[in-house]
Amino acid sequence: MRRLPCLALFTPLLVAATSLAPQEAAKVFGAREMVQHIDISPDGRSVVYIAPGPGKRTMAYVASLETLKPKAVLTSDADPETLRWCNFVSNTRMVCQITALVDLEGRLIPVSRLFAIDANGANSRELGQKQSFYDERLRQYDGSILDWRPAGDLNSVLMAREYIPEAGRIGTHISRTADGLGVDRVDTVTLKSSPVERPNKMASDYFTDGRGAVRIMEVQPVRGATGQLSARTQYKYRLAGSSDWKDLGSYDINSRDGILPRAVDADLNAAYVLKKLNGRRALYRIKLDGTMATELVYANDKVDVDDVVRIGRGQRVIGVTFAEDKRRTIYFDPEFKALSAALSKAIPKLPLVQFGGASADGSKLLVFAGSDSDPGRYYVYDKARRSLNEIMLVRPALEQAALATVRPISYPAGDGTQVPAYLTLPPGKEDARGLPAVVLPHGGPSSRDEWGFDWLSQFLASQGYAVLQPNYRGSEGYGEEWLQKNGFQSWRTSIGDVTAGARWLAGQGIADPGRMAIVGWSYGGYAALQSEVAEPGLFKAVVAIAPVTDLGTLKEQYRYFTSFRLASEYIGSGPHVREGSPLQNAERITAPVLLVHGTRDFNVAVSHSQKMERQLRAAGKKVEYIELPGLEHSLADSEARARILERTAAFLATHLK
């Protein structure tokens, strides 16, 4: 079995992680994934994938599956553009996306652009509306691809395009007046386009049937003259062959009531939507024939349904997915149901199997498989030959490493509620007692941890720590009641669940109560700091990476955006804003704190950590601060991540003696 070669420039020496010193382990675990996105060509003979370069750089490679020789065709240096993905339109033409943070009058503004390029890296052309000196406003997002090769058109895509009118031209009739989101059929070689949907100022997205027909329009109204987005998103649909829009339903982001369309099935003439059933999201099918006949497709009595599973150039719906203790997929399609079962037998140690793409005729499939102790690998399945060939490793540096197993568990919160979580113990120490331990709350807050490989928890386990990842109340995926209001307004419940996890570790004898720390990123960083505010002394060290430290400051980040009112409503007002802000309660913190933040963080402004450091120092507390110039929220730089891991290991070792 052959695979694409690892590029020596980016790949550390393969050695067992348990034998590595913290500095060496930090480099291995901190290295970004070698496959950050991948797609297979229509003829099934090539793949294009996004991989990291040195530092912040990101590169696109195209490789023949016959020769397995990758060729670099694109590079971005994240200063400011970052290459996110590339997909094939035809065997010789691709569409790629770049994103960037642009500094506009002292504020970071996220932008993205789509462009087409030959598979050999030549003939790059932007797909969005051309920029003009007279544009009325900044074009943040130029559009998205709705259909790939609609109706078999070789080099064309169906694109939702953002149109910006011109202003300020005097004495001329050639100013552009189109305004809003429209849909165009675009030839990615010539850039010739034909309109499918006229630009609509109220439209925020469209859904097609996978065959070039626009069937659903998403509308997010603004509130009065303020220009602020409404909390309720509306959805319109049209009958097959019609141009008239009819009401399909709506969704309220605050109450989470209503429908969330996920796909349109052309054969069934129906839309798949998510909506609540007994407090949890379930999958329904709504006929788009004028009857609005609705049927339940799948519901789970423990967790929310996440999404539908799709495959192929037309993105045909083949199943539904959700995460219990482990992620599961229920396949509607008999062929994929049988194939999934066969693959599970062929690679039994890699139970996380996903179909990632397909050739135009469906004869070759791109397959991902991974587990808790395997970061994952990509295969190509050939239906005709019934062969499964491994082509790439996601983290080749860890191929020979001794990685830890992850165990789903639950523990009681203060009120007796069972909190789901994942426990990772050091490799070879699954029965050890009295270990140093780290509680690792996830970000979000309305996100969740899942069973699988996690580079941060695996690094900590490799250094001898028991690691607990709690899905505290406020986490996504467990239904309406579990979400509470959210992890900010209901911080006492969320943080109480986190600290209860630490006490459970000690009570079970897994952790030494005198050697427990808490580490978190984003909301997880907030949870780390606020846990120390809530129960000073429970943890002997706190590591907060890109943390929210002040809820009032978080609100103000959105001041000049149309989402300001939505963000304000989400965070809320009242006593919890002060009581739930670590910055406002720094004097209660007793444990040493390590803060880490990138200077170009749009999600959580760097000022959160800057202010927190000053406040802690003013209160006479022990604090270290690492500021990383030019890095965003994810700190997507292998060298920077290695530095963070190395410093975290040293910090914990010092304070958990």
Side-chain angles (χ1 to χ4, degrees):
M1 185 176 292
R2 301 171 64 204
R3 67 168 70 103
L4 286 165
C6 304
L7 303 180
L9 179 61
F10 313 131
T11 306
L13 182 66
L14 306 181
V15 292
T18 50
S19 68
L20 293 177
Q23 183 177 6
E24 297 169 301
K27 291 180 180 178
V28 172
F29 285 96
R32 289 183 286 161
E33 300 93 333
M34 285 300 298
V35 186
Q36 298 174 2
H37 179 86
I38 188 169
D39 188 41
I40 191 168
S41 61
D43 63 6
R45 295 180 178 179
S46 303
V47 292
V48 56
Y49 62 97
I50 306 299
K56 299 183 292 182
R57 184 170 296 176
T58 303
M59 307 180 75
Y61 293 88
V62 173
S64 164
L65 292 175
E66 296 173 358
T67 64
L68 294 179
K69 293 181 179 179
K71 176 185 177 183
V73 295
L74 278 172
T75 183
S76 63
D77 59 9
D79 194 21
E81 299 92 354
T82 297
L83 185 60
R84 296 298 181 184
W85 54 261
C86 289
N87 283 348
F88 285 102
V89 180
S90 66
N91 297 323
T92 58
R93 194 72 170 160
M94 306 184 299
V95 170
C96 305
Q97 184 195 57
I98 57 171
T99 63
L101 287 172
V102 177
D103 195 317
L104 185 65
E105 298 179 353
R107 294 191 297 274
L108 292 175
I109 308 294
V111 300
S112 69
R113 295 290 183 266
L114 294 173
F115 62 95
I117 190 168
D118 288 347
N120 63 6
N123 302 319
S124 175
R125 307 284 296 275
E126 282 198 32
L127 295 180
Q129 182 190 42
K130 289 185 178 180
Q131 185 173 340
S132 166
F133 175 79
Y134 299 98
D135 281 353
E136 190 176 88
R137 59 183 181 271
L138 173 70
R139 183 184 297 104
Q140 283 186 255
Y141 312 104
D142 60 350
S144 61
I145 306 302
L146 301 176
D147 271 1
W148 299 87
R149 302 174 71 188
D153 197 344
L154 183 61
N155 285 304
S156 292
V157 293
L158 205 65
M159 178 179 177
R161 245 180 182 173
E162 183 69 30
Y163 281 86
I164 307 294
E166 292 180 323
R169 288 196 181 190
I170 306 298
T172 179
H173 297 288
I174 62 173
S175 292
R176 297 188 307 215
T177 58
D179 192 1
L181 190 67
V183 179
D184 295 340
R185 185 185 298 268
V186 182
D187 187 307
T188 61
V189 176
T190 66
L191 293 194
K192 290 182 179 179
S193 65
S194 57
V196 175
E197 294 291 328
R198 297 179 60 184
N200 186 329
K201 290 178 67 175
M202 302 300 291
S204 52
D205 201 1
Y206 296 93
F207 293 78
T208 77
D209 63 358
R211 300 175 184 173
V214 178
R215 299 299 305 276
I216 296 176
M217 176 173 63
E218 178 183 287
V219 176
Q220 192 165 19
V222 296
R223 311 185 204 203
T226 65
Q228 289 292 306
L229 295 175
S230 169
R232 183 167 289 278
T233 300
Q234 299 171 353
Y235 295 96
K236 309 283 187 179
Y237 83 99
R238 56 168 49 126
L239 302 174
S242 172
S243 60
D244 298 327
W245 291 110
K246 296 177 175 291
D247 288 333
L248 179 64
S250 63
Y251 179 77
D252 190 290
I253 195 172
N254 291 328
S255 66
R256 306 181 189 92
D257 288 324
I259 65 167
L260 284 169
R262 282 296 175 260
V264 175
D265 189 309
D267 292 331
L268 298 176
N269 192 24
Y272 287 98
V273 305
L274 297 177
K275 69 174 182 177
K276 284 192 290 189
L277 175 66
N278 299 325
R280 295 179 180 83
R281 282 180 180 165
L283 184 67
Y284 288 82
R285 196 160 41 219
I286 302 177
K287 295 291 287 185
L288 301 181
D289 59 1
T291 67
M292 293 282 288
T294 302
E295 62 175 318
L296 176 65
V297 178
Y298 184 82
N300 187 293
D301 61 2
K302 296 180 181 178
V303 297
D304 293 319
V305 171
D306 294 330
D307 209 346
V308 294
V309 178
R310 309 173 76 177
I311 193 70
R313 313 306 289 183
Q315 289 292 281
R316 177 167 57 93
V317 175
I318 58 172
V320 61
T321 185
F322 51 91
E324 295 176 332
D325 286 345
K326 299 178 182 179
R327 179 153 293 278
R328 290 185 57 200
T329 299
I330 304 295
Y331 289 99
F332 311 145
D333 185 284
E335 179 188 13
F336 281 92
K337 181 178 181 179
L339 182 55
S340 175
L343 290 175
S344 296
K345 292 180 180 179
I347 41 177
K349 295 183 179 180
L350 302 174
L352 297 178
V353 176
Q354 301 171 5
F355 297 103
S359 59
D361 63 3
S363 64
K364 293 182 180 179
L365 301 174
L366 191 61
V367 178
F368 168 85
S371 73
D372 56 342
S373 57
D374 190 312
R377 49 200 71 214
Y378 285 93
Y379 301 82
V380 170
Y381 178 73
D382 189 317
K383 291 183 180 180
R385 298 179 179 178
R386 301 185 68 181
S387 62
L388 183 69
N389 293 314
E390 181 183 317
I391 61 168
M392 295 197 74
L393 299 173
V394 174
R395 290 180 178 269
L398 293 174
E399 178 68 355
Q400 304 301 321
L403 298 178
T405 57
V406 180
R407 180 158 52 100
I409 59 100
S410 64
Y411 62 85
D415 61 2
T417 300
Q418 288 294 312
V419 179
Y422 296 97
L423 178 64
T424 306
L425 298 177
K429 295 184 178 180
E430 287 77 6
D431 297 320
R433 317 295 286 175
L435 294 168
V438 171
V439 176
L440 184 64
H442 62 74
S446 54
S447 179
R448 62 158 289 176
D449 278 319
E450 292 189 27
W451 185 85
F453 178 84
D454 180 283
W455 62 274
L456 186 50
S457 63
Q458 286 285 346
F459 168 77
L460 292 168
S462 79
Q463 298 304 295
Y465 296 97
V467 183
L468 182 72
Q469 296 172 272
N471 280 326
Y472 48 81
R473 278 171 284 186
S475 300
E476 183 73 62
Y478 295 94
E480 191 71 15
E481 186 177 348
W482 196 260
L483 272 172
Q484 304 281 295
K485 289 183 178 179
N486 59 62
F488 292 125
Q489 293 195 47
S490 302
W491 73 265
R492 293 185 188 279
T493 302
S494 300
I495 300 305
D497 288 354
V498 171
T499 55
R503 289 193 295 274
W504 177 83
L505 283 172
Q508 295 293 307
I510 297 169
D512 178 344
R515 293 193 295 162
M516 294 194 298
I518 185 166
V519 177
W521 198 313
S522 193
Y523 180 88
Y526 164 85
L529 292 165
Q530 192 63 13
S531 292
E532 177 64 10
V533 169
E535 297 192 39
L538 178 63
F539 298 105
K540 305 307 177 186
V542 175
V543 179
I545 304 170
V548 171
T549 65
D550 186 72
L551 302 188
T553 299
L554 186 62
K555 275 190 191 182
E556 284 303 309
Q557 281 186 224
Y558 296 89
R559 170 67 65 179
Y560 299 101
F561 294 88
T562 57
S563 57
F564 174 64
R565 188 167 173 179
L566 292 178
S568 296
E569 291 171 350
Y570 183 82
I571 296 167
S573 300
H576 77 275
V577 173
R578 185 192 180 283
E579 295 167 358
S581 295
L583 183 69
Q584 306 296 327
N585 299 277
E587 72 282 353
R588 289 183 55 81
I589 293 176
T590 60
V593 174
L594 172 62
L595 297 168
V596 180
H597 223 120
T599 62
R600 292 181 63 80
D601 192 329
F602 173 76
N603 301 65
V604 182
V606 67
S607 60
H608 281 266
S609 286
Q610 292 171 338
K611 292 177 181 178
M612 192 72 202
E613 182 203 18
R614 291 196 295 267
Q615 196 75 354
L616 286 168
R617 291 196 186 282
K621 309 298 182 178
K622 293 181 180 179
V623 58
E624 295 182 30
Y625 177 41
I626 299 175
E627 190 165 280
L628 300 166
L631 291 185
E632 302 176 24
H633 191 65
S634 62
L635 303 177
D637 181 325
S638 296
E639 295 172 6
R641 288 185 178 182
R643 179 185 173 192
I644 294 167
L645 294 183
E646 183 181 355
R647 186 62 207 130
T648 296
F651 185 81
L652 296 180
T654 297
H655 299 293
L656 299 187
K657 291 180 179 178

